[in-house]
């Protein structure tokens, strides 16, 4: 993997209009929804009745601060990750790429590195923007700072989770090679399958749910471990990384053995 190959992948990534729009959608949705939820909580803080968010803000603040915004915003990262890989197949550009770089694995590695770095930078900006905006909105009711136990780790964990999520989606795009099908698969894995698994009674289903890719990965963005969590935050992130690595290896194997 050379600097020229990385430069070529960066040129391809930034020249595609969907890159800008997907990242913009992620930033707007993540910050907008998080700020909206924080504003609603602040405005209804003194209302009579039970407020589960109030308790959660004390026990696991980042679950509330990042919950709604990143729950929806991560879909933009998933879509972009798929498009980064699958669009080359749908447009036929993959043939030109492989003619320019006959060694297929370095091309996949360069594409993954460039996309991961872009995802990392945008995610870091967005995560910390969400944190400081939402904590400022809630400051008159509850104080949440980076110096509190688990908060800094959760913020860094949120950045790492979103970065690996992009690579996870990229691998799915490379395996399926069809944009619509890959996007549907990723959304199913992120949003549909986890809640369905929780409907199955018994402890086995609970463990299956705990080891699902994004369920395990999201644990690292929690500021404290919850009683129902099967894994610790870093164990969960490790499981998510393992899922992603397996898919990337499978993607590389298919890229090397299949015709473009």
């Amino acid at each position: 993997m050379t600097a020229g190959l990385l430069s070529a992948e960066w040129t391809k990534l930034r020249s595609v209009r969907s890159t800008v729009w997907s990242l913009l959608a992620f930033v707007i949705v993540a910050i907008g929804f998080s700020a909206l939820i924080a504003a609603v909580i602040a405005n209804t803080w003194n209302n009579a009745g039970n407020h589960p968010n109030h308790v959660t803000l004390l026990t696991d603040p980042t679950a509330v601060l990042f919950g709604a915004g990143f729950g929806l915003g991560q879909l933009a990262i998933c879509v972009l990750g798929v498009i980064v890989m699958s669009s080359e197949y749908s447009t036929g550009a993959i043939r030109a790429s492989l003619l320019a770089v006959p060694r297929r694995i370095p091309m996949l590695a360069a594409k993954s590195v460039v996309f991961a770095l872009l995802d990392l930078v945008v995610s870091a900006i967005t995560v910390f923007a969400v944190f400081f905006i939402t904590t400022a909105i809630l400051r008159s009711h509850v104080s949440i700072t980076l110096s509190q136990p688990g908060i800094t780790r959760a913020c860094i964990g949120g950045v790492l989770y979103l970065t690996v999520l992009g690579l996870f989606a990229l691998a799915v795009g490379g395996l399926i090679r069809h944009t619509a099908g890959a996007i549907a698969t990723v959304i199913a894995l992120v949003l549909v399958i986890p809640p369905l698994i929780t409907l199955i009674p018994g402890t086995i289903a609970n463990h299956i749910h705990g080891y699902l890719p994004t369920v395990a990965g999201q644990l690292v963005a929690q500021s404290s471990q919850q009683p129902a969590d099967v894994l610790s935050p870093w164990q969960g992130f490790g499981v998510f990384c393992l899922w992603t690595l397996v898919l990337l290896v499978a993607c590389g194997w298919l890229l090397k053995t299949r015709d473009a």
Side-chain angles (χ1 to χ4, degrees):
M1 186 170 57
T2 64
L5 189 53
L6 292 171
S7 178
E9 290 300 332
W10 168 242
T11 300
K12 285 193 288 184
L13 184 59
R14 65 185 174 84
S15 62
V16 178
R17 191 175 299 176
S18 59
T19 300
V20 175
W21 286 111
S22 296
L23 292 176
L24 188 61
F26 164 65
V27 172
I28 292 174
V29 171
I31 295 178
F33 270 87
S34 298
L36 177 62
I37 294 299
V40 170
I41 293 173
N43 289 331
T44 59
W45 190 273
N46 296 320
N47 290 0
N50 294 323
H51 297 279
N53 281 329
H54 296 185
V55 177
T56 307
L57 279 169
L58 298 175
T59 59
D60 186 12
T62 54
V64 177
L65 301 183
F66 298 154
F70 286 101
L72 294 174
Q74 68 180 343
L75 296 181
I77 296 294
C78 291
V79 170
L80 179 58
V82 167
I83 291 175
V84 164
M85 195 69 195
S86 66
S87 61
E88 290 208 50
Y89 288 98
S90 59
T91 61
I94 189 68
R95 297 183 183 89
S97 296
L98 294 178
L99 283 174
V101 187
R103 293 188 302 162
R104 301 184 176 196
I105 300 302
M107 186 202 72
L108 176 62
K111 189 183 295 292
S112 300
V113 168
V114 169
F115 177 57
L117 289 175
L118 176 63
D119 191 358
L120 178 69
V121 171
V122 175
S123 296
I125 294 170
T126 306
V127 166
F128 283 98
V130 166
F131 178 80
F132 288 117
I133 290 171
T134 53
T135 52
I137 294 172
L138 294 166
R139 184 166 295 148
S140 60
H141 303 289
V142 59
S143 176
I144 303 170
T145 65
L146 291 173
S147 62
Q148 291 176 242
I151 299 295
T152 299
R153 192 262 304 148
C155 290
I156 295 173
V159 176
L160 295 176
Y161 165 75
L162 292 167
T163 302
V164 177
L165 178 65
L167 291 175
F168 180 83
L170 182 148
V172 173
L175 288 171
I176 297 179
R177 299 186 174 189
H178 185 274
T179 302
I183 289 174
T185 300
V186 172
I187 291 176
L189 290 171
V190 174
L191 291 183
V192 179
I193 293 178
L196 289 179
I197 296 295
T198 60
L199 299 177
I200 303 173
T203 56
I204 294 178
N206 185 48
H207 278 76
I208 293 173
H209 178 265
Y211 279 88
L212 291 176
T214 54
V215 173
Q218 288 172 356
L219 295 177
V220 77
Q222 294 179 180
S223 50
S224 62
Q225 189 167 6
Q226 303 303 306
D229 294 340
V230 175
L231 302 167
S232 69
W234 288 115
Q235 285 175 339
F237 182 67
V239 168
F240 188 33
C241 289
L242 185 59
W243 275 98
T244 303
L245 179 62
V246 169
L247 291 180
L248 283 172
V249 170
C251 180
W253 182 78
L254 288 178
L255 182 64
K256 193 172 182 178
T257 56
R258 274 188 190 177
D259 291 334

